[in-house]
Amino acid sequence: MPGTPRGKTTETEETAAPRRRQARGERRVSQLLAAAAGVFCRTGYAAASTNAIAREAGVSPGTLYQFFPNKEAIAVELGGRLLQRAHETHGQAFLPENLQRPLPELLDAVLDPVIAFNCENPAFWALMHGSGIPGAMNQEHEELHSGLLTRVEGVLHSFCPQATPAELTHTSNMILGIFKSSLDLILAHEGAERDAYTAELKTVLLRYLEPMVTTTHSP
Amino acid sequence: MPGTPRGKTTETEETAAPRRRQARGERRVSQLLAAAAGVFCRTGYAAASTNAIAREAGVSPGTLYQFFPNKEAIAVELGGRLLQRAHETHGQAFLPENLQRPLPELLDAVLDPVIAFNCENPAFWALMHGSGIPGAMNQEHEELHSGLLTRVEGVLHSFCPQATPAELTHTSNMILGIFKSSLDLILAHEGAERDAYTAELKTVLLRYLEPMVTTTHSP
Amino acid sequence: MPGTPRGKTTETEETAAPRRRQARGERRVSQLLAAAAGVFCRTGYAAASTNAIAREAGVSPGTLYQFFPNKEAIAVELGGRLLQRAHETHGQAFLPENLQRPLPELLDAVLDPVIAFNCENPAFWALMHGSGIPGAMNQEHEELHSGLLTRVEGVLHSFCPQATPAELTHTSNMILGIFKSSLDLILAHEGAERDAYTAELKTVLLRYLEPMVTTTHSP
Amino acid sequence: MPGTPRGKTTETEETAAPRRRQARGERRVSQLLAAAAGVFCRTGYAAASTNAIAREAGVSPGTLYQFFPNKEAIAVELGGRLLQRAHETHGQAFLPENLQRPLPELLDAVLDPVIAFNCENPAFWALMHGSGIPGAMNQEHEELHSGLLTRVEGVLHSFCPQATPAELTHTSNMILGIFKSSLDLILAHEGAERDAYTAELKTVLLRYLEPMVTTTHSP
DNA sequence: GATGAATGAGGATTCATTCAT
DNA sequence: TATGAATGAATCCTCATTCAT
């Protein structure tokens, strides 16, 4: 609910107010988020200015601040919405039945939708890159990253029950790193090149992970 | 050749102590680059301010601009020097005799010094991350990256003579991406953790590349 | 007469429930003034934002501006109402019979209710401080101040009939100044400390005024 | 030393740098402080904007921030300089021999120079008023106020050795309050009116304090 | 060469006020 | 009436770069 950051609208007396107003506001929020997505993609999160976002959205700076208390809030909301859309669109990739399949199929089942989503929503990717200073992610990126990490660890654990937590963390971090750098390449290319890099990514992960999981999941 | 120090220094007038001048200038440049390295490491390239670099170097902003025309030039020169130092220090890793060894040994021979170098010179790493905007590297990063890429392609070619140029590029880009993201993890940890990530990196690359090269290099 | 609510309300059309309208409007005004009082107390007049007042009142900024044309009008109306309430509550302190009593009793009779009123209505005090710029009171403060001044001059005149108008003005201004600065101290403390400062105020005024009035009012 | 807020000028090698540069900077600082004094007087401290100060000084905002890290620093430096000037100009008013004189003479000896100073330097007064929110002085005002308070308490103690600390504090606070509000009146008027208010101030204080000190200091 | 002052556009953010619904 | 979105100038402050000395 980003539209009312100032809270306290006690809503006490005289009618509960129709939600027509919300409509315009919600449209503005979407507009602003779309503009932010564009600016984030073009300049990266760190270099994106709130004024540029407002300009791109065709509104005044003040309007932006009526809906978001600061720049990070925009990123948080945008990230949240993208994540939600990802779940809605490709969430079934992570269903238990998918996770039980042999590794090559699993990689296809998981990576294809995720890559597709990122290609359709490049802003998501811009958000994940953060400030470029390795040690200095902001909270939003931190959360996103550790969320993904946890998820990967979970899947990995089901594949390698014998692995220690430390090993799981190491491997998951590697997987995530490989995925991210490959996604850079995938997004930087188009058509056949893009497909080639997608295939390479799968090859890398397959060869990396196969020796760890053969006995368990390969029928 | 840092900065274009105003064409006036024709070396003809004031022959009293030209060597001195040059020496002092060179000292200043080193001073500034060392300061820049520190600032880049701490804050990243994008957030580093020229004033901060000058301050860290103990000189005035004006002095900095007497040796470098702008911020990027500092990065370019620093990157170049680090690269040169890398060559001097660990260049023998790329000697032909090294490149003929079997893959596991090759990975050790190449990665260990490179990783060591990056641990000792974290500024190099900060430079390679650049602005965090995937598609928008500046000239310096572009050069650095394509230089590395060419080199990797060269080594790879000697391993897989049958690969097409496109395949070489794809694989090299993947290798570089894997290396970069792993280096993130390596630099972000210390001691045993760092070693663990180093080992993982080698594992990933070994498994990725082995199927491509076995016939050629395995004796 | 708060706000100039758009001349359209000619009281001729819509005779259905004009009383209702007025009642609701009056409630809104009171609501807004109460909110303004709170905000003025917490942040001072200058730093109080109309949005904050509206929020505190639980209405939208637009609603606020339907009743008050601008920020100052809120202060004016609030000051007026507080003044009126002061009269209603403690007005008998200024009755002729009170003013005839000897000075110590008069001071008690006048100051005690005024202090009590200010302790109960700290917003009044916030309004009297205004912007903190000595020479630049706005209209509201000017009116408040000169109203008080006139009243003090009146009382003083009955005590010192021989004083020239200039002397009366000087002394009244001094009295008001002493009162205001003492009230600062009184409001800034509580309990015994507050009583102590109240006593000091009376002492100061008594000693200051006694020599001017002894012959007239001491029986 | 407001000219080098960024510190760290290690000043190591190659000559200790002539101080000619400082001269221009020092001039700018004075210029800025003069401008600040003007703006503070006109609008009060709280409402004074750094841009307005820079504009009044005829420089760009950036220049202001080369010498002062923020608005408060300007006030602190200005207050400090004014205080110092006050000491240099009228410091002898507080010499022990002065403080031993009978009360009427003491009041003259202390108040006349202080009033004169404030008339000549109205910015000092603007600084003492602070934000207008009684409870919310910033550190600078707090320090100034408590410094004055301590001093008044000291003098008072020599006059009324039998007074308890609490009484001393109460009385000193009253004195300070009376002085401040009177100074408002004094500064708001000119010529004969100003003198009249000065005389009133002395009268008030004399009558207030005389009963406390007669036995000790009146010969 | 070196200094440090100077610039000015741009950054995020606020707020009194107006407007369409 | 009431709403809340919209405005835009103003706030403080930063920074890459230039200039006079």
Side-chain angles (χ1 to χ4, degrees), chain D residues 40 45-50 53 64-65 68-76:
Chain D
F40 286 160
Y45 170 72
S49 88
T50 56
I53 294 172
L64 184 153
Y65 281 91
F68 301 99
N70 52 47
K71 190 166 86 167
E72 179 159 0
I74 303 176
V76 169

Side-chain angles (χ1 to χ4, degrees), chain B residues 112-127:
Chain B
D112 284 339
V114 173
I115 290 171
F117 177 77
N118 275 283
C119 289
E120 291 155 16
N121 300 90
F124 193 76
W125 195 229
L127 282 179

Side-chain angles (χ1 to χ4, degrees), chain C residues 40-47 125-126 129-134 136 166 169-171 173-174 177-178 180-182 184-185 189 192-193 196-197 200-201 203-204 207-212, chain D residues 40-47 125-126 129-134 166 169-171 173-174 177-178 180-182 184-185 189 192-193 196-197 200-204 207-212:
Chain C
F40 287 161
C41 284
R42 280 202 303 277
T43 68
Y45 171 72
W125 195 230
H129 271 75
S131 51
I133 318 154
T169 299
H170 294 161
T171 305
N173 267 317
M174 291 298 294
I178 292 166
K180 280 165 116 176
S181 54
S182 303
D184 269 345
L185 292 165
H189 294 85
E193 290 282 286
Y197 283 112
E200 288 299 304
L201 166 60
T203 301
V204 170
R207 292 182 184 165
Y208 176 41
L209 299 174
E210 223 169 17
M212 304 181 184
Chain D
F40 286 160
C41 285
R42 276 203 304 279
T43 70
Y45 170 72
W125 196 230
H129 270 75
S131 55
I133 316 157
T169 298
H170 293 159
T171 305
N173 267 317
M174 291 298 294
I178 293 166
K180 281 165 119 177
S181 53
S182 302
D184 271 344
L185 291 166
H189 295 84
E193 289 283 283
Y197 281 113
E200 287 300 304
L201 165 60
K202 290 176 183 172
T203 301
V204 170
R207 292 184 184 163
Y208 176 40
L209 298 175
E210 223 169 17
M212 303 182 184

